[in-house]
Amino acid sequence: MNAISLLMKDHKNVKALFAQYEGLSDRSFATKKKLADQICHELTVHTQLEEEIFYPAVRRPIHDGDLMDEAVVEHASAKELIAQILAMDPSEDLYDAKVTVLSEQIEHHVKEEEGDMFPKVRKTGVDLDALGEQMAARKEQLAASGT
């Protein structure tokens, strides 16, 4: 699987998890916690893959430092919300709001990656298959370590 396909698959999976979360009733605390934790875990692994492997590999070839810098700042913002959500109980005030804001931030981030960054990357000479293999191996490592 090439690097962009791997990342887009992650995007699709997280979007589906957010949709499941939004469909829950206000009293589904245990299910909310389980889903929110899964969303946070998936996003943590995904952002780590992008920051460790994908972004460094494509930053110079796409010649758009501003786009790459913005993506890193968006990750930092998402990580802050993820930490807050993981530290909370679903019955607490603002829990749902934080999950909703995280969903909106991720939706914006995904649109920029899929609509702007990925098309630029496809036009470069970056070996997306080799990069994808490296990312898939790292993803397995992170999953095994519980990251």
Side-chain angles (χ1 to χ4, degrees), residues 107-142:
E107 187 175 331
H108 168 81
H109 182 73
V110 165
K111 275 185 184 162
E112 287 193 341
E113 283 188 344
E114 292 184 2
D116 199 6
M117 185 188 297
F118 294 172
K120 288 180 179 180
V121 171
R122 284 185 183 104
K123 293 176 184 171
T124 69
V126 173
D127 184 343
L128 294 174
D129 291 329
L131 198 58
E133 285 179 31
Q134 185 182 356
M135 289 167 62
R138 181 66 175 134
K139 188 173 183 177
E140 278 185 38
Q141 280 180 336
L142 293 172

Side-chain angles (χ1 to χ4, degrees), residues 26-87:
D26 288 341
R27 310 281 315 145
S28 304
F29 296 130
T31 308
K32 281 184 176 187
K33 180 69 174 162
K34 184 178 173 195
L35 264 177
D37 285 355
Q38 187 177 355
I39 289 166
C40 291
H41 172 74
E42 298 269 336
L43 289 174
T44 298
V45 169
H46 181 84
T47 57
Q48 198 166 339
L49 284 178
E50 287 184 333
E51 290 174 3
E52 285 181 9
I53 301 169
F54 188 74
Y55 289 177
V58 303
R59 177 179 278 276
R60 190 168 282 126
I62 69 167
H63 305 293
D64 194 340
D66 289 344
L67 178 66
M68 299 306 297
D69 291 346
E70 189 177 324
V72 170
V73 171
E74 288 170 354
H75 278 191
S77 178
K79 287 177 192 176
E80 178 61 34
L81 264 178
I82 287 167
Q84 291 174 26
I85 292 165
L86 289 174

